[in-house]
Amino acid sequence: VCPDDTFCSLEQRYVMAVLYYSSNGGTWDNCAEASSGSDCEPINVGEPGYNPGPDGARRWLDPVDECEWYGLRCLPDDKCIRIIQLENLNQSGNIPSEIAKLSDLRYLAMEDGTISGTIPDLGDLTNLRFLDLDAQNLEGTIPESTYTLSTLETLDLNENSLTGEISPLIGDLTKLTFLQLDINSFIGSLPDVFQDFNLLEEATFQQNNFTGVMPQSLCDQRANVLEVLQGSCDQCTAVTAGCCTGCE
């Protein structure tokens, strides 16, 4: 602990260490700890997790401020982590529940790996706007607390092994612009609760085990800014022509 450490830095370094070890950070193929022998190439300029520091990115667990570690971004005034972008790093293991302690987090992207287990309770991330956990091996249901994240603009959970029904509480996520739930094992009917989703631009539900038809409240959003709406052909053929933009 250093004299100028903020409240965030007292806790978030521990949380990031837990995240690293929980996702088997020593086997990451980019910016793992120095002893791993991995390369350490920075994220492309313009990407959310790009670090503008002189080194572009520092390895995880390096003895520097964790805000300089690869894929992490903090605001300079409080040094609280706002962005975690860790994609296509050969991640495995699981997502630890401790990540919900990062109360200032806005952006969480951990995609394209073999992370398993369940989605942790993220209900305390009340400022989260972007949640992308696609192309992993996640199982179980979407936690009810996810539907309380009223600031979410992107919910991207496709290409996992998620199960269960989609709760009617999804109707509270009215700031969503991007909703991707395809290629999972969800069941039941989609709830007809999307009447206030006036900002939604893309929604995909295909390759699941849904029953019933595409909700009329989603079809109605095609008159607004919803340009992509995809589901199973059984869901789509029984509704108004022009509702779905594709099916499979």
Side-chain angles (χ1 to χ4, degrees):
V1 179
C2 299
D4 61 346
D5 279 346
T6 65
F7 174 79
C8 285
S9 62
L10 294 175
E11 187 169 48
Q12 70 186 15
R13 192 177 186 90
Y14 164 75
V15 174
M16 290 298 91
V18 172
L19 174 61
Y20 180 79
Y21 288 114
S22 295
S23 59
N24 295 321
T27 65
W28 293 1
D29 54 20
N30 193 55
C31 290
E33 59 193 292
S35 62
S36 70
S38 69
D39 293 332
C40 192
E41 298 295 330
I43 292 176
N44 293 332
V45 176
E47 289 290 309
Y50 170 74
N51 195 310
D55 297 314
R58 296 294 296 269
R59 292 181 178 276
W60 278 64
L61 307 188
D62 270 4
V64 296
D65 192 316
E66 65 277 2
C67 293
E68 298 180 37
W69 293 352
Y70 173 88
L72 303 183
R73 287 290 301 275
C74 306
L75 285 185
D77 57 345
D78 59 17
K79 294 296 184 72
C80 295
I81 293 175
R82 297 302 202 278
I83 293 172
I84 300 175
Q85 183 182 6
L86 303 172
E87 304 174 355
N88 194 25
L89 297 179
N90 190 39
Q91 294 167 313
S92 55
N94 58 76
I95 302 172
S97 59
E98 286 85 352
I99 203 165
K101 295 181 180 296
L102 304 176
S103 58
D104 288 287
L105 192 65
R106 270 43 170 196
Y107 185 108
L108 175 58
M110 297 177 66
E111 64 173 279
D112 199 2
T114 58
I115 289 176
S116 57
T118 59
I119 299 172
D121 183 341
L122 302 177
D124 289 336
L125 299 181
T126 55
N127 295 301
L128 195 66
R129 298 176 184 173
F130 188 101
L131 179 59
D132 183 358
L133 304 175
D134 74 352
Q136 300 283 2
N137 292 332
L138 294 168
E139 301 174 332
T141 61
I142 298 176
E144 290 287 293
S145 59
T146 304
Y147 302 116
T148 69
L149 301 175
S150 59
T151 58
L152 269 186
E153 298 171 6
T154 289
L155 179 58
D156 188 357
L157 302 175
N158 70 301
E159 293 188 56
N160 280 288
S161 298
L162 297 170
T163 57
E165 299 188 11
I166 304 302
S167 170
L169 293 175
I170 197 172
D172 294 333
L173 302 181
T174 57
K175 293 185 179 180
L176 283 180
T177 63
F178 187 91
L179 174 61
Q180 194 159 278
L181 301 178
D182 54 285
I183 316 178
N184 278 287
S185 297
F186 292 119
I187 61 173
S189 299
L190 288 172
D192 195 4
V193 292
F194 297 94
Q195 59 273 7
D196 295 323
F197 279 54
N198 300 322
L199 303 176
L200 190 62
E201 299 175 1
E202 181 169 338
T204 57
F205 305 98
Q206 69 273 19
Q207 295 189 46
N208 278 287
N209 298 315
F210 288 125
T211 55
V213 301
M214 191 65 69
Q216 186 60 47
S217 56
L218 267 175
C219 295
D220 291 345
Q221 294 303 331
R222 294 279 287 122
N224 293 316
V225 295
L226 183 57
E227 295 185 354
V228 176
L229 177 58
Q230 298 180 348
S232 71
C233 291
D234 287 341
Q235 284 179 301
C236 290
T237 54
V239 294
T240 306
C243 173
C244 295
T245 59
C247 71
E248 55 182 282

